[in-house]
PDB file of all heavy atoms in Angstrom:
ATOM      1  N   GLN Y 187      -4.456  -8.469  10.333  1.00  0.00           N
ATOM      2  CA  GLN Y 187      -6.018  -8.612  10.402  1.00  0.00           C
ATOM      3  C   GLN Y 187      -6.472  -7.535  11.466  1.00  0.00           C
ATOM      4  O   GLN Y 187      -7.630  -6.954  11.214  1.00  0.00           O
ATOM      5  CB  GLN Y 187      -6.270 -10.113  10.888  1.00  0.00           C
ATOM      6  CG  GLN Y 187      -5.964 -11.146   9.877  1.00  0.00           C
ATOM      7  CD  GLN Y 187      -6.091 -12.507  10.459  1.00  0.00           C
ATOM      8  OE1 GLN Y 187      -6.601 -12.725  11.563  1.00  0.00           O
ATOM      9  NE2 GLN Y 187      -5.556 -13.509   9.826  1.00  0.00           N
ATOM     10  N   ASP Y 188      -5.835  -7.413  12.494  1.00  0.00           N
ATOM     11  CA  ASP Y 188      -6.216  -6.437  13.470  1.00  0.00           C
ATOM     12  C   ASP Y 188      -5.308  -5.215  13.628  1.00  0.00           C
ATOM     13  O   ASP Y 188      -4.200  -5.292  13.154  1.00  0.00           O
ATOM     14  CB  ASP Y 188      -6.415  -7.110  14.941  1.00  0.00           C
ATOM     15  CG  ASP Y 188      -7.442  -6.461  15.892  1.00  0.00           C
ATOM     16  OD1 ASP Y 188      -7.866  -5.378  15.363  1.00  0.00           O
ATOM     17  OD2 ASP Y 188      -7.623  -6.983  16.958  1.00  0.00           O
ATOM     18  N   GLU Y 189      -5.765  -4.146  14.262  1.00  0.00           N
ATOM     19  CA  GLU Y 189      -4.884  -2.965  14.344  1.00  0.00           C
ATOM     20  C   GLU Y 189      -3.626  -3.249  15.206  1.00  0.00           C
ATOM     21  O   GLU Y 189      -3.761  -4.101  16.214  1.00  0.00           O
ATOM     22  CB  GLU Y 189      -5.708  -1.755  14.829  1.00  0.00           C
ATOM     23  CG  GLU Y 189      -6.232  -1.865  16.309  1.00  0.00           C
ATOM     24  CD  GLU Y 189      -6.901  -0.653  16.671  1.00  0.00           C
ATOM     25  OE1 GLU Y 189      -6.574   0.483  16.274  1.00  0.00           O
ATOM     26  OE2 GLU Y 189      -7.843  -0.831  17.416  1.00  0.00           O
ATOM     27  N   ILE Y 190      -2.588  -2.628  14.896  1.00  0.00           N
ATOM     28  CA  ILE Y 190      -1.371  -2.705  15.607  1.00  0.00           C
ATOM     29  C   ILE Y 190      -1.277  -1.635  16.698  1.00  0.00           C
ATOM     30  O   ILE Y 190      -1.246  -0.591  16.414  1.00  0.00           O
ATOM     31  CB  ILE Y 190      -0.242  -2.774  14.671  1.00  0.00           C
ATOM     32  CG1 ILE Y 190      -0.158  -3.958  13.771  1.00  0.00           C
ATOM     33  CG2 ILE Y 190       1.181  -2.686  15.405  1.00  0.00           C
ATOM     34  CD1 ILE Y 190       0.997  -3.947  12.630  1.00  0.00           C
ATOM     35  N   LYS Y 191      -1.186  -2.021  17.913  1.00  0.00           N
ATOM     36  CA  LYS Y 191      -1.129  -1.106  18.975  1.00  0.00           C
ATOM     37  C   LYS Y 191      -0.402  -1.711  20.240  1.00  0.00           C
ATOM     38  O   LYS Y 191      -0.622  -2.929  20.601  1.00  0.00           O
ATOM     39  CB  LYS Y 191      -2.667  -0.806  19.435  1.00  0.00           C
ATOM     40  CG  LYS Y 191      -2.823   0.237  20.590  1.00  0.00           C
ATOM     41  CD  LYS Y 191      -4.227   0.510  20.958  1.00  0.00           C
ATOM     42  CE  LYS Y 191      -4.266   1.536  22.226  1.00  0.00           C
ATOM     43  NZ  LYS Y 191      -5.581   1.646  22.607  1.00  0.00           N
ATOM     44  N   GLY Y 192       0.372  -0.921  20.788  1.00  0.00           N
ATOM     45  CA  GLY Y 192       1.126  -1.282  21.881  1.00  0.00           C
ATOM     46  C   GLY Y 192       2.516  -1.832  21.492  1.00  0.00           C
ATOM     47  O   GLY Y 192       2.782  -2.208  20.454  1.00  0.00           O
ATOM     48  N   TYR Y 193       3.329  -1.995  22.665  1.00  0.00           N
ATOM     49  CA  TYR Y 193       4.831  -2.363  22.494  1.00  0.00           C
ATOM     50  C   TYR Y 193       4.815  -3.831  21.801  1.00  0.00           C
ATOM     51  O   TYR Y 193       5.613  -4.074  20.939  1.00  0.00           O
ATOM     52  CB  TYR Y 193       5.483  -2.287  23.860  1.00  0.00           C
ATOM     53  CG  TYR Y 193       6.915  -2.731  23.714  1.00  0.00           C
ATOM     54  CD1 TYR Y 193       7.883  -1.785  23.490  1.00  0.00           C
ATOM     55  CD2 TYR Y 193       7.441  -4.072  23.991  1.00  0.00           C
ATOM     56  CE1 TYR Y 193       9.267  -2.072  23.336  1.00  0.00           C
ATOM     57  CE2 TYR Y 193       8.759  -4.381  23.867  1.00  0.00           C
ATOM     58  CZ  TYR Y 193       9.599  -3.363  23.486  1.00  0.00           C
ATOM     59  OH  TYR Y 193      10.932  -3.704  23.493  1.00  0.00           O
ATOM     60  N   ASN Y 194       4.005  -4.749  22.362  1.00  0.00           N
ATOM     61  CA  ASN Y 194       4.153  -6.177  21.906  1.00  0.00           C
ATOM     62  C   ASN Y 194       3.726  -6.158  20.398  1.00  0.00           C
ATOM     63  O   ASN Y 194       4.470  -6.849  19.636  1.00  0.00           O
ATOM     64  CB  ASN Y 194       3.137  -7.078  22.555  1.00  0.00           C
ATOM     65  CG  ASN Y 194       3.714  -7.278  24.009  1.00  0.00           C
ATOM     66  OD1 ASN Y 194       4.951  -7.209  24.254  1.00  0.00           O
ATOM     67  ND2 ASN Y 194       2.773  -7.778  24.942  1.00  0.00           N
ATOM     68  N   ASP Y 195       2.731  -5.624  19.984  1.00  0.00           N
ATOM     69  CA  ASP Y 195       2.308  -5.613  18.572  1.00  0.00           C
ATOM     70  C   ASP Y 195       3.464  -4.936  17.649  1.00  0.00           C
ATOM     71  O   ASP Y 195       3.776  -5.361  16.613  1.00  0.00           O
ATOM     72  CB  ASP Y 195       1.001  -4.769  18.154  1.00  0.00           C
ATOM     73  CG  ASP Y 195      -0.191  -5.700  18.763  1.00  0.00           C
ATOM     74  OD1 ASP Y 195      -0.037  -6.701  19.281  1.00  0.00           O
ATOM     75  OD2 ASP Y 195      -1.256  -5.046  18.597  1.00  0.00           O
ATOM     76  N   LEU Y 196       3.984  -3.815  18.190  1.00  0.00           N
ATOM     77  CA  LEU Y 196       5.127  -3.098  17.402  1.00  0.00           C
ATOM     78  C   LEU Y 196       6.353  -3.911  17.293  1.00  0.00           C
ATOM     79  O   LEU Y 196       6.946  -3.934  16.302  1.00  0.00           O
ATOM     80  CB  LEU Y 196       5.272  -1.768  17.989  1.00  0.00           C
ATOM     81  CG  LEU Y 196       4.270  -0.753  17.897  1.00  0.00           C
ATOM     82  CD1 LEU Y 196       4.509   0.468  18.766  1.00  0.00           C
ATOM     83  CD2 LEU Y 196       4.148  -0.258  16.438  1.00  0.00           C
ATOM     84  N   SER Y 197       6.539  -4.696  18.314  1.00  0.00           N
ATOM     85  CA  SER Y 197       7.625  -5.612  18.412  1.00  0.00           C
ATOM     86  C   SER Y 197       7.457  -6.791  17.340  1.00  0.00           C
ATOM     87  O   SER Y 197       8.490  -7.183  16.673  1.00  0.00           O
ATOM     88  CB  SER Y 197       7.879  -6.241  19.811  1.00  0.00           C
ATOM     89  OG  SER Y 197       8.952  -7.005  19.912  1.00  0.00           O
ATOM     90  N   LEU Y 198       6.282  -7.290  17.341  1.00  0.00           N
ATOM     91  CA  LEU Y 198       6.007  -8.458  16.366  1.00  0.00           C
ATOM     92  C   LEU Y 198       6.253  -7.809  14.836  1.00  0.00           C
ATOM     93  O   LEU Y 198       6.698  -8.426  14.068  1.00  0.00           O
ATOM     94  CB  LEU Y 198       4.557  -8.881  16.443  1.00  0.00           C
ATOM     95  CG  LEU Y 198       4.294  -9.684  17.815  1.00  0.00           C
ATOM     96  CD1 LEU Y 198       2.881 -10.075  17.826  1.00  0.00           C
ATOM     97  CD2 LEU Y 198       5.160 -10.936  17.854  1.00  0.00           C
ATOM     98  N   LEU Y 199       5.744  -6.594  14.643  1.00  0.00           N
ATOM     99  CA  LEU Y 199       5.887  -5.958  13.320  1.00  0.00           C
ATOM    100  C   LEU Y 199       7.333  -5.861  13.062  1.00  0.00           C
ATOM    101  O   LEU Y 199       7.801  -5.995  11.900  1.00  0.00           O
ATOM    102  CB  LEU Y 199       5.214  -4.558  13.151  1.00  0.00           C
ATOM    103  CG  LEU Y 199       5.240  -3.920  11.928  1.00  0.00           C
ATOM    104  CD1 LEU Y 199       4.850  -4.735  10.711  1.00  0.00           C
ATOM    105  CD2 LEU Y 199       4.559  -2.514  11.942  1.00  0.00           C
ATOM    106  N   GLY Y 200       8.168  -5.444  14.010  1.00  0.00           N
ATOM    107  CA  GLY Y 200       9.620  -5.272  13.775  1.00  0.00           C
ATOM    108  C   GLY Y 200      10.226  -6.624  13.442  1.00  0.00           C
ATOM    109  O   GLY Y 200      11.024  -6.591  12.490  1.00  0.00           O
ATOM    110  N   ASP Y 201       9.790  -7.709  14.175  1.00  0.00           N
ATOM    111  CA  ASP Y 201      10.242  -9.089  13.659  1.00  0.00           C
ATOM    112  C   ASP Y 201       9.959  -9.463  12.272  1.00  0.00           C
ATOM    113  O   ASP Y 201      10.642 -10.022  11.541  1.00  0.00           O
ATOM    114  CB  ASP Y 201       9.689  -9.993  14.725  1.00  0.00           C
ATOM    115  CG  ASP Y 201      10.172  -9.919  16.170  1.00  0.00           C
ATOM    116  OD1 ASP Y 201      11.331  -9.372  16.249  1.00  0.00           O
ATOM    117  OD2 ASP Y 201       9.553 -10.383  17.167  1.00  0.00           O
ATOM    118  N   TYR Y 202       8.586  -9.044  11.917  1.00  0.00           N
ATOM    119  CA  TYR Y 202       8.209  -9.319  10.548  1.00  0.00           C
ATOM    120  C   TYR Y 202       9.057  -8.657   9.564  1.00  0.00           C
ATOM    121  O   TYR Y 202       9.467  -9.216   8.546  1.00  0.00           O
ATOM    122  CB  TYR Y 202       6.693  -8.830  10.515  1.00  0.00           C
ATOM    123  CG  TYR Y 202       6.132  -8.980   9.078  1.00  0.00           C
ATOM    124  CD1 TYR Y 202       5.369 -10.113   8.703  1.00  0.00           C
ATOM    125  CD2 TYR Y 202       6.289  -7.937   8.116  1.00  0.00           C
ATOM    126  CE1 TYR Y 202       4.958 -10.225   7.360  1.00  0.00           C
ATOM    127  CE2 TYR Y 202       5.771  -7.988   6.816  1.00  0.00           C
ATOM    128  CZ  TYR Y 202       5.113  -9.213   6.517  1.00  0.00           C
ATOM    129  OH  TYR Y 202       4.433  -9.297   5.289  1.00  0.00           O
ATOM    130  N   LEU Y 203       9.360  -7.339   9.873  1.00  0.00           N
ATOM    131  CA  LEU Y 203      10.285  -6.582   8.882  1.00  0.00           C
ATOM    132  C   LEU Y 203      11.537  -7.126   8.689  1.00  0.00           C
ATOM    133  O   LEU Y 203      12.198  -6.862   7.596  1.00  0.00           O
ATOM    134  CB  LEU Y 203      10.251  -5.077   9.422  1.00  0.00           C
ATOM    135  CG  LEU Y 203       8.930  -4.221   9.308  1.00  0.00           C
ATOM    136  CD1 LEU Y 203       8.998  -2.941   9.957  1.00  0.00           C
ATOM    137  CD2 LEU Y 203       8.587  -4.095   7.705  1.00  0.00           C
ATOM    138  N   THR Y 204      12.120  -7.787   9.726  1.00  0.00           N
ATOM    139  CA  THR Y 204      13.560  -8.358   9.587  1.00  0.00           C
ATOM    140  C   THR Y 204      13.433  -9.684   9.111  1.00  0.00           C
ATOM    141  O   THR Y 204      14.526 -10.405   9.028  1.00  0.00           O
ATOM    142  CB  THR Y 204      14.141  -8.259  11.018  1.00  0.00           C
ATOM    143  OG1 THR Y 204      13.214  -8.904  11.933  1.00  0.00           O
ATOM    144  CG2 THR Y 204      14.420  -6.925  11.507  1.00  0.00           C
ATOM    145  N   GLY Y 205      12.175 -10.160   8.622  1.00  0.00           N
ATOM    146  CA  GLY Y 205      12.230 -11.506   7.928  1.00  0.00           C
ATOM    147  C   GLY Y 205      11.404 -12.570   8.573  1.00  0.00           C
ATOM    148  O   GLY Y 205      11.297 -13.715   7.941  1.00  0.00           O
ATOM    149  N   ASP Y 206      10.845 -12.383   9.734  1.00  0.00           N
ATOM    150  CA  ASP Y 206       9.922 -13.443  10.392  1.00  0.00           C
ATOM    151  C   ASP Y 206       8.551 -13.285   9.904  1.00  0.00           C
ATOM    152  O   ASP Y 206       7.801 -12.584  10.543  1.00  0.00           O
ATOM    153  CB  ASP Y 206      10.120 -13.281  11.921  1.00  0.00           C
ATOM    154  CG  ASP Y 206       9.241 -14.476  12.631  1.00  0.00           C
ATOM    155  OD1 ASP Y 206       8.675 -15.337  11.969  1.00  0.00           O
ATOM    156  OD2 ASP Y 206       9.316 -14.436  13.832  1.00  0.00           O
ATOM    157  N   LEU Y 207       8.289 -13.877   8.846  1.00  0.00           N
ATOM    158  CA  LEU Y 207       6.911 -13.711   8.182  1.00  0.00           C
ATOM    159  C   LEU Y 207       5.819 -14.255   8.958  1.00  0.00           C
ATOM    160  O   LEU Y 207       4.717 -14.001   8.738  1.00  0.00           O
ATOM    161  CB  LEU Y 207       6.934 -14.274   6.675  1.00  0.00           C
ATOM    162  CG  LEU Y 207       7.886 -13.649   5.733  1.00  0.00           C
ATOM    163  CD1 LEU Y 207       7.733 -14.229   4.334  1.00  0.00           C
ATOM    164  CD2 LEU Y 207       7.989 -12.153   5.707  1.00  0.00           C
ATOM    165  N   ASN Y 208       6.128 -15.158   9.931  1.00  0.00           N
ATOM    166  CA  ASN Y 208       5.096 -15.675  10.718  1.00  0.00           C
ATOM    167  C   ASN Y 208       4.948 -14.973  12.171  1.00  0.00           C
ATOM    168  O   ASN Y 208       4.458 -15.559  13.083  1.00  0.00           O
ATOM    169  CB  ASN Y 208       5.391 -17.261  10.958  1.00  0.00           C
ATOM    170  CG  ASN Y 208       5.284 -18.039   9.659  1.00  0.00           C
ATOM    171  OD1 ASN Y 208       4.341 -17.853   8.871  1.00  0.00           O
ATOM    172  ND2 ASN Y 208       6.314 -18.813   9.400  1.00  0.00           N
ATOM    173  N   ALA Y 209       5.477 -13.910  12.213  1.00  0.00           N
ATOM    174  CA  ALA Y 209       5.593 -13.122  13.520  1.00  0.00           C
ATOM    175  C   ALA Y 209       4.172 -12.912  14.198  1.00  0.00           C
ATOM    176  O   ALA Y 209       4.012 -13.200  15.323  1.00  0.00           O
ATOM    177  CB  ALA Y 209       6.356 -11.796  13.374  1.00  0.00           C
ATOM    178  N   PHE Y 210       3.199 -12.538  13.305  1.00  0.00           N
ATOM    179  CA  PHE Y 210       1.943 -12.364  13.866  1.00  0.00           C
ATOM    180  C   PHE Y 210       1.091 -13.661  14.243  1.00  0.00           C
ATOM    181  O   PHE Y 210       0.021 -13.564  14.777  1.00  0.00           O
ATOM    182  CB  PHE Y 210       1.063 -11.500  12.906  1.00  0.00           C
ATOM    183  CG  PHE Y 210       1.681 -10.056  13.022  1.00  0.00           C
ATOM    184  CD1 PHE Y 210       2.479  -9.548  12.032  1.00  0.00           C
ATOM    185  CD2 PHE Y 210       1.289  -9.169  13.928  1.00  0.00           C
ATOM    186  CE1 PHE Y 210       2.891  -8.152  12.094  1.00  0.00           C
ATOM    187  CE2 PHE Y 210       1.650  -7.913  14.059  1.00  0.00           C
ATOM    188  CZ  PHE Y 210       2.568  -7.448  12.963  1.00  0.00           C
ATOM    189  N   CYS Y 211       1.615 -14.789  13.804  1.00  0.00           N
ATOM    190  CA  CYS Y 211       1.019 -16.016  14.247  1.00  0.00           C
ATOM    191  C   CYS Y 211       1.178 -16.202  15.691  1.00  0.00           C
ATOM    192  O   CYS Y 211       0.397 -16.939  16.367  1.00  0.00           O
ATOM    193  CB  CYS Y 211       1.621 -17.194  13.477  1.00  0.00           C
ATOM    194  SG  CYS Y 211       1.296 -17.206  11.804  1.00  0.00           S
ATOM    195  N   LYS Y 212       2.118 -15.536  16.306  1.00  0.00           N
ATOM    196  CA  LYS Y 212       2.380 -15.659  17.761  1.00  0.00           C
ATOM    197  C   LYS Y 212       1.405 -14.887  18.601  1.00  0.00           C
ATOM    198  O   LYS Y 212       1.422 -14.886  19.869  1.00  0.00           O
ATOM    199  CB  LYS Y 212       3.852 -15.190  18.037  1.00  0.00           C
ATOM    200  CG  LYS Y 212       4.881 -15.884  17.247  1.00  0.00           C
ATOM    201  CD  LYS Y 212       6.276 -15.106  17.337  1.00  0.00           C
ATOM    202  CE  LYS Y 212       7.245 -15.645  16.488  1.00  0.00           C
ATOM    203  NZ  LYS Y 212       8.525 -14.809  16.458  1.00  0.00           N
ATOM    204  N   LYS Y 213       0.667 -13.919  17.899  1.00  0.00           N
ATOM    205  CA  LYS Y 213      -0.241 -12.939  18.562  1.00  0.00           C
ATOM    206  C   LYS Y 213      -1.443 -13.760  18.879  1.00  0.00           C
ATOM    207  O   LYS Y 213      -2.107 -14.330  18.036  1.00  0.00           O
ATOM    208  CB  LYS Y 213      -0.556 -11.785  17.655  1.00  0.00           C
ATOM    209  CG  LYS Y 213      -1.365 -10.832  18.305  1.00  0.00           C
ATOM    210  CD  LYS Y 213      -1.570  -9.602  17.369  1.00  0.00           C
ATOM    211  CE  LYS Y 213      -2.466  -8.555  18.073  1.00  0.00           C
ATOM    212  NZ  LYS Y 213      -2.703  -7.345  17.121  1.00  0.00           N
ATOM    213  N   PRO Y 214      -1.884 -13.741  20.256  1.00  0.00           N
ATOM    214  CA  PRO Y 214      -3.135 -14.349  20.621  1.00  0.00           C
ATOM    215  C   PRO Y 214      -4.317 -13.754  20.009  1.00  0.00           C
ATOM    216  O   PRO Y 214      -4.330 -12.632  19.619  1.00  0.00           O
ATOM    217  CB  PRO Y 214      -3.075 -14.248  22.161  1.00  0.00           C
ATOM    218  CG  PRO Y 214      -2.217 -12.889  22.339  1.00  0.00           C
ATOM    219  CD  PRO Y 214      -1.177 -12.968  21.257  1.00  0.00           C
ATOM    220  N   GLY Y 215      -5.453 -14.467  19.959  1.00  0.00           N
ATOM    221  CA  GLY Y 215      -6.601 -13.947  19.267  1.00  0.00           C
ATOM    222  C   GLY Y 215      -7.203 -12.777  19.990  1.00  0.00           C
ATOM    223  O   GLY Y 215      -7.118 -12.688  21.170  1.00  0.00           O
ATOM    224  N   GLN Y 216      -7.724 -11.819  19.232  1.00  0.00           N
ATOM    225  CA  GLN Y 216      -8.205 -10.625  19.745  1.00  0.00           C
ATOM    226  C   GLN Y 216      -9.697 -10.748  20.073  1.00  0.00           C
ATOM    227  O   GLN Y 216     -10.513 -10.863  19.186  1.00  0.00           O
ATOM    228  CB  GLN Y 216      -7.844  -9.490  18.864  1.00  0.00           C
ATOM    229  CG  GLN Y 216      -6.528  -9.266  18.327  1.00  0.00           C
ATOM    230  CD  GLN Y 216      -5.599  -8.772  19.584  1.00  0.00           C
ATOM    231  OE1 GLN Y 216      -6.122  -7.829  20.210  1.00  0.00           O
ATOM    232  NE2 GLN Y 216      -4.642  -9.513  19.973  1.00  0.00           N
ATOM    233  N   LYS Y 217     -10.040 -10.686  21.327  1.00  0.00           N
ATOM    234  CA  LYS Y 217     -11.380 -10.723  21.816  1.00  0.00           C
ATOM    235  C   LYS Y 217     -11.898  -9.546  22.634  1.00  0.00           C
ATOM    236  O   LYS Y 217     -12.954  -9.551  23.260  1.00  0.00           O
ATOM    237  CB  LYS Y 217     -11.749 -12.089  22.428  1.00  0.00           C
ATOM    238  CG  LYS Y 217     -11.548 -13.287  21.637  1.00  0.00           C
ATOM    239  CD  LYS Y 217     -11.900 -14.539  22.207  1.00  0.00           C
ATOM    240  CE  LYS Y 217     -11.767 -15.761  21.433  1.00  0.00           C
ATOM    241  NZ  LYS Y 217     -12.032 -17.075  21.981  1.00  0.00           N
ATOM    242  N   LYS Y 218     -11.028  -8.536  22.737  1.00  0.00           N
ATOM    243  CA  LYS Y 218     -11.222  -7.573  23.755  1.00  0.00           C
ATOM    244  C   LYS Y 218     -12.495  -6.598  23.406  1.00  0.00           C
ATOM    245  O   LYS Y 218     -13.019  -6.227  24.316  1.00  0.00           O
ATOM    246  CB  LYS Y 218      -9.952  -6.558  23.785  1.00  0.00           C
ATOM    247  CG  LYS Y 218      -9.645  -5.953  22.406  1.00  0.00           C
ATOM    248  CD  LYS Y 218      -8.401  -5.247  22.507  1.00  0.00           C
ATOM    249  CE  LYS Y 218      -7.966  -4.685  21.182  1.00  0.00           C
ATOM    250  NZ  LYS Y 218      -6.718  -3.934  21.153  1.00  0.00           N
ATOM    251  N   HIS Y 219     -12.872  -6.622  22.086  1.00  0.00           N
ATOM    252  CA  HIS Y 219     -14.049  -5.681  21.792  1.00  0.00           C
ATOM    253  C   HIS Y 219     -15.381  -6.576  21.873  1.00  0.00           C
ATOM    254  O   HIS Y 219     -16.368  -5.896  22.001  1.00  0.00           O
ATOM    255  CB  HIS Y 219     -13.881  -5.084  20.408  1.00  0.00           C
ATOM    256  CG  HIS Y 219     -12.770  -4.314  20.192  1.00  0.00           C
ATOM    257  ND1 HIS Y 219     -12.229  -3.464  21.246  1.00  0.00           N
ATOM    258  CD2 HIS Y 219     -11.874  -4.254  19.152  1.00  0.00           C
ATOM    259  CE1 HIS Y 219     -11.066  -2.853  20.766  1.00  0.00           C
ATOM    260  NE2 HIS Y 219     -10.900  -3.274  19.471  1.00  0.00           N
ATOM    261  N   GLU Y 220     -15.279  -7.859  21.927  1.00  0.00           N
ATOM    262  CA  GLU Y 220     -16.533  -8.627  21.548  1.00  0.00           C
ATOM    263  C   GLU Y 220     -17.571  -8.284  22.601  1.00  0.00           C
ATOM    264  O   GLU Y 220     -18.795  -8.093  22.164  1.00  0.00           O
ATOM    265  CB  GLU Y 220     -16.197 -10.063  21.566  1.00  0.00           C
ATOM    266  CG  GLU Y 220     -16.614 -10.860  20.487  1.00  0.00           C
ATOM    267  CD  GLU Y 220     -16.184 -12.292  20.394  1.00  0.00           C
ATOM    268  OE1 GLU Y 220     -15.010 -12.441  20.633  1.00  0.00           O
ATOM    269  OE2 GLU Y 220     -16.914 -13.138  19.928  1.00  0.00           O
ATOM    270  N   SER Y 221     -17.235  -8.372  23.836  1.00  0.00           N
ATOM    271  CA  SER Y 221     -18.320  -8.155  24.892  1.00  0.00           C
ATOM    272  C   SER Y 221     -18.856  -6.687  25.064  1.00  0.00           C
ATOM    273  O   SER Y 221     -19.893  -6.518  25.506  1.00  0.00           O
ATOM    274  CB  SER Y 221     -17.782  -8.451  26.261  1.00  0.00           C
ATOM    275  OG  SER Y 221     -16.583  -7.575  26.631  1.00  0.00           O
ATOM    276  N   MET Y 222     -18.106  -5.768  24.341  1.00  0.00           N
ATOM    277  CA  MET Y 222     -18.541  -4.336  24.337  1.00  0.00           C
ATOM    278  C   MET Y 222     -19.268  -4.020  23.185  1.00  0.00           C
ATOM    279  O   MET Y 222     -20.006  -2.961  23.096  1.00  0.00           O
ATOM    280  CB  MET Y 222     -17.321  -3.498  24.384  1.00  0.00           C
ATOM    281  CG  MET Y 222     -16.272  -3.838  25.526  1.00  0.00           C
ATOM    282  SD  MET Y 222     -14.819  -2.950  25.364  1.00  0.00           S
ATOM    283  CE  MET Y 222     -15.437  -1.256  25.855  1.00  0.00           C
ATOM    284  N   ILE Y 223     -19.457  -4.831  22.080  1.00  0.00           N
ATOM    285  CA  ILE Y 223     -20.156  -4.504  20.880  1.00  0.00           C
ATOM    286  C   ILE Y 223     -21.685  -4.711  21.074  1.00  0.00           C
ATOM    287  O   ILE Y 223     -22.166  -5.629  21.493  1.00  0.00           O
ATOM    288  CB  ILE Y 223     -19.751  -5.468  19.737  1.00  0.00           C
ATOM    289  CG1 ILE Y 223     -18.264  -5.255  19.380  1.00  0.00           C
ATOM    290  CG2 ILE Y 223     -20.576  -5.152  18.439  1.00  0.00           C
ATOM    291  CD1 ILE Y 223     -17.676  -6.235  18.423  1.00  0.00           C
ATOM    292  N   GLN Y 224     -22.330  -3.555  20.542  1.00  0.00           N
ATOM    293  CA  GLN Y 224     -23.875  -3.578  20.623  1.00  0.00           C
ATOM    294  C   GLN Y 224     -24.323  -3.638  19.156  1.00  0.00           C
ATOM    295  O   GLN Y 224     -23.455  -3.608  18.270  1.00  0.00           O
ATOM    296  CB  GLN Y 224     -24.333  -2.353  21.205  1.00  0.00           C
ATOM    297  CG  GLN Y 224     -23.895  -2.154  22.663  1.00  0.00           C
ATOM    298  CD  GLN Y 224     -24.544  -0.808  23.262  1.00  0.00           C
ATOM    299  OE1 GLN Y 224     -25.507  -0.295  22.650  1.00  0.00           O
ATOM    300  NE2 GLN Y 224     -24.005  -0.380  24.346  1.00  0.00           N
ATOM    301  N   ASP Y 225     -25.570  -3.804  18.963  1.00  0.00           N
ATOM    302  CA  ASP Y 225     -26.129  -3.896  17.702  1.00  0.00           C
ATOM    303  C   ASP Y 225     -26.153  -2.496  17.156  1.00  0.00           C
ATOM    304  O   ASP Y 225     -26.972  -1.632  17.336  1.00  0.00           O
ATOM    305  CB  ASP Y 225     -27.604  -4.344  17.712  1.00  0.00           C
ATOM    306  CG  ASP Y 225     -28.214  -4.632  16.352  1.00  0.00           C
ATOM    307  OD1 ASP Y 225     -27.471  -4.174  15.303  1.00  0.00           O
ATOM    308  OD2 ASP Y 225     -29.320  -5.051  16.228  1.00  0.00           O
ATOM    309  N   VAL Y 226     -25.073  -2.250  16.291  1.00  0.00           N
ATOM    310  CA  VAL Y 226     -24.912  -0.809  15.750  1.00  0.00           C
ATOM    311  C   VAL Y 226     -26.108  -0.425  14.922  1.00  0.00           C
ATOM    312  O   VAL Y 226     -26.423   0.805  15.007  1.00  0.00           O
ATOM    313  CB  VAL Y 226     -23.544  -0.748  14.993  1.00  0.00           C
ATOM    314  CG1 VAL Y 226     -23.479   0.518  14.272  1.00  0.00           C
ATOM    315  CG2 VAL Y 226     -22.374  -1.046  15.814  1.00  0.00           C
ATOM    316  N   GLY Y 227     -26.779  -1.341  14.215  1.00  0.00           N
ATOM    317  CA  GLY Y 227     -27.765  -1.038  13.453  1.00  0.00           C
ATOM    318  C   GLY Y 227     -28.987  -0.344  14.192  1.00  0.00           C
ATOM    319  O   GLY Y 227     -29.765   0.493  13.639  1.00  0.00           O
ATOM    320  N   GLN Y 228     -29.155  -0.781  15.375  1.00  0.00           N
ATOM    321  CA  GLN Y 228     -30.261  -0.300  16.109  1.00  0.00           C
ATOM    322  C   GLN Y 228     -30.033   1.203  16.666  1.00  0.00           C
ATOM    323  O   GLN Y 228     -31.036   2.013  16.990  1.00  0.00           O
ATOM    324  CB  GLN Y 228     -30.507  -1.127  17.481  1.00  0.00           C
ATOM    325  CG  GLN Y 228     -30.946  -2.632  17.085  1.00  0.00           C
ATOM    326  CD  GLN Y 228     -32.143  -2.634  16.181  1.00  0.00           C
ATOM    327  OE1 GLN Y 228     -33.149  -2.008  16.400  1.00  0.00           O
ATOM    328  NE2 GLN Y 228     -32.094  -3.310  15.006  1.00  0.00           N
ATOM    329  N   THR Y 229     -28.783   1.566  16.801  1.00  0.00           N
ATOM    330  CA  THR Y 229     -28.582   2.939  17.355  1.00  0.00           C
ATOM    331  C   THR Y 229     -28.090   3.879  16.279  1.00  0.00           C
ATOM    332  O   THR Y 229     -27.914   4.999  16.418  1.00  0.00           O
ATOM    333  CB  THR Y 229     -27.398   2.888  18.430  1.00  0.00           C
ATOM    334  OG1 THR Y 229     -26.235   2.299  17.878  1.00  0.00           O
ATOM    335  CG2 THR Y 229     -27.822   2.125  19.638  1.00  0.00           C
ATOM    336  N   MET Y 230     -27.878   3.449  15.072  1.00  0.00           N
ATOM    337  CA  MET Y 230     -27.387   4.186  13.923  1.00  0.00           C
ATOM    338  C   MET Y 230     -28.355   5.172  13.472  1.00  0.00           C
ATOM    339  O   MET Y 230     -29.466   4.872  13.083  1.00  0.00           O
ATOM    340  CB  MET Y 230     -26.965   3.287  12.832  1.00  0.00           C
ATOM    341  CG  MET Y 230     -26.433   4.009  11.625  1.00  0.00           C
ATOM    342  SD  MET Y 230     -24.729   4.567  12.017  1.00  0.00           S
ATOM    343  CE  MET Y 230     -24.315   5.432  10.580  1.00  0.00           C
TER     344      MET Y 230
END
């Protein structure tokens, strides 16, 4: 769902590749961009 970046995400992908299909369920929700987003339509 979200881009893979950093050691933790890459580690989860490695776990997924070795058979843990639920590896990314362990990843906390991504909210890092939310407060930074502006109304793109107004500046486009």
Side-chain angles (χ1 to χ4, degrees):
Q187 295 173 13
D188 203 359
E189 64 178 327
I190 294 173
K191 181 181 178 182
Y193 183 88
N194 285 340
D195 284 2
L196 293 168
S197 181
L198 291 175
L199 178 57
D201 293 341
Y202 176 93
L203 289 168
T204 55
D206 183 0
L207 301 185
N208 297 314
F210 284 98
C211 296
K212 305 167 190 173
K213 184 177 178 179
Q216 300 293 307
K217 296 184 179 180
K218 57 185 176 182
H219 299 322
E220 230 171 322
S221 61
M222 304 174 71
I223 296 172
Q224 300 181 13
D225 184 355
V226 175
Q228 296 303 311
T229 57
M230 181 71 185

